[in-house]
Amino acid sequence: MSGKRLALVGAHPDDCDILASGLAMRYRELGWDVLFVSMANGDCGHQEMDRAELGARRAGETAAVAEMLGIEYVVMDVPDCEVQPTLEQRWALLRLLRRFAPDLVVTHHQQDYHPDHRYTSQLVGDVSFLLKVPHCCPDTPALRKDTVHAFFHAVRASDREDAFAVAVPIDDLWRRKLEVMACHTSQMFEWLPWVNGEDMRDIPPASDAEGRLAFIDERRRPIFTLAADLYRDRLVELLGAERARSVKLAEVYYAAPFPTSLSERNYRVLFPFLC
Ligand SMILES: [Zn+2]
């Protein structure tokens, strides 16, 4: 089977990492190429640092993730909280995706809670057909293949979607996924606990690496446990009852209503590790 190319398009420089780094690791295990995109530069999410300082720090955090996973990580030059379905942002994403030529693109659900997530989803939908239209942005050659589109299972989703879904077990990747998330120090150990009203004295110091992974584990594990439980019947269909029963943690991806969506017809070549 020829190598496939995965592009994850998130709004902020930690969304792809939190939501889908397990899938990225599966692709990398096969030697397949992965691109993470952040549509905004993430320069708003901090209670103390100013925007320029934070933007630079978060660029360093994404570089660390890129190094750890062996992927390309592109952070767009768009201020945080200002992702919009403008022509400028549409063409920037179109050119980037054409250059990478993905077989599978995953982005946020259209009804996500954060406006940057919603408009990122819209931008991906806006370019989904244009990827193949040669007279649109002719400076970057149009693709001659179909690109399959899917959504992340949202962090806050407690219900199943009706759409076709694929559940990827990530138990064996969980520790590495924690390490990926821990690269986002400004978020995991500073901004997110603060904005969520946690007692900041509970955060382990930087010298306590294991304590910090446990801190993230406690907060993030329930999301992926819930996803595995919500989609247990899909895991059974994909893996068989015995293997499915042992899965504790899963990332879930489901069909996006764009020109070529994830479906029964195309998922096997994109998720061969499930077959
Ligand atoms: Zn986000």
Side-chain angles (χ1 to χ4, degrees):
M1 185 189 298
S2 62
K4 299 295 178 191
R5 301 171 70 78
L6 168 67
L8 305 178
V9 185
H12 305 112
D14 60 0
D15 288 326
C16 298
D17 321 56
I18 294 168
L19 294 164
S21 52
L23 178 60
M25 288 180 228
R26 290 274 178 255
Y27 264 61
R28 294 301 299 133
E29 282 171 352
L30 296 168
W32 293 1
D33 291 321
V34 177
L35 168 69
F36 282 18
V37 181
S38 176
M39 287 304 298
N41 66 13
D43 66 355
C44 275
H46 206 277
Q47 66 277 29
E48 289 166 0
M49 298 178 76
D50 71 31
R51 295 186 69 163
E53 200 183 354
L54 179 61
R57 185 170 174 207
R58 296 195 72 180
E61 292 169 350
T62 59
V65 171
E67 170 87 21
M68 186 180 285
L69 294 178
I71 62 161
E72 185 182 354
Y73 205 135
V74 173
V75 178
M76 298 291 210
D77 186 21
V78 173
D80 208 353
C81 305
E82 293 185 24
V83 177
Q84 287 272 304
T86 62
L87 287 180
E88 188 183 7
Q89 293 182 32
R90 184 192 298 174
W91 302 148
L93 179 61
L94 180 66
R95 289 186 172 102
L96 176 63
L97 290 181
R98 279 183 178 176
R99 280 197 291 270
F100 183 72
D103 297 284
L104 174 61
V105 174
V106 189
T107 191
H108 300 285
H109 193 283
Q110 293 155 309
Q111 284 152 15
D112 203 290
Y113 72 101
H114 195 301
D116 283 351
H117 294 194
R118 288 199 300 278
Y119 292 127
T120 293
S121 186
Q122 181 169 339
L123 284 161
V124 173
D126 289 347
V127 305
S128 60
F129 179 68
L130 306 184
L131 289 170
K132 291 173 70 176
V133 179
H135 288 321
C136 178
C137 286
D139 55 23
T140 312
L143 300 185
R144 296 282 293 147
K145 65 178 180 182
D146 288 329
T147 303
V148 172
H149 287 83
F151 288 143
F152 303 122
H153 180 67
V155 162
R156 295 171 193 227
S158 56
D159 296 314
R160 284 177 63 129
E161 293 288 328
D162 290 334
F164 175 84
V166 171
V168 178
I170 56 165
D171 297 85
D172 57 320
L173 306 174
W174 181 245
R175 182 178 168 91
R176 192 127 177 271
K177 183 164 167 128
L178 290 174
E179 290 167 353
V180 166
M181 290 190 274
C183 288
H184 295 281
T185 309
S186 69
Q187 306 300 292
M188 294 294 154
F189 309 115
E190 297 172 23
W191 165 247
L192 293 171
W194 185 86
V195 78
N196 290 329
E198 295 201 53
D199 187 337
M200 302 300 277
R201 292 169 299 189
D202 293 342
I203 302 166
S207 56
D208 180 8
E210 285 301 318
R212 286 198 154 200
L213 293 184
F215 182 81
I216 304 176
D217 178 80
E218 195 180 313
R219 283 150 187 79
R220 301 286 163 176
R221 177 181 289 269
I223 298 156
F224 299 95
T225 304
L226 177 64
D229 288 338
L230 277 176
Y231 287 86
R232 184 72 55 189
D233 59 337
R234 275 303 280 151
L235 287 167
V236 170
E237 286 168 22
L238 294 164
L239 306 172
E242 196 177 330
R243 270 176 74 199
R245 224 187 346 261
S246 67
V247 175
K248 293 191 175 67
L249 301 164
E251 290 174 357
V252 171
Y253 300 92
Y254 50 91
F258 304 149
T260 308
S261 64
L262 183 65
S263 73
E264 189 68 57
R265 287 186 303 283
N266 57 37
Y267 86 89
R268 286 181 187 82
V269 294
L270 298 166
F271 297 83
F273 31 82
L274 298 175
C275 303

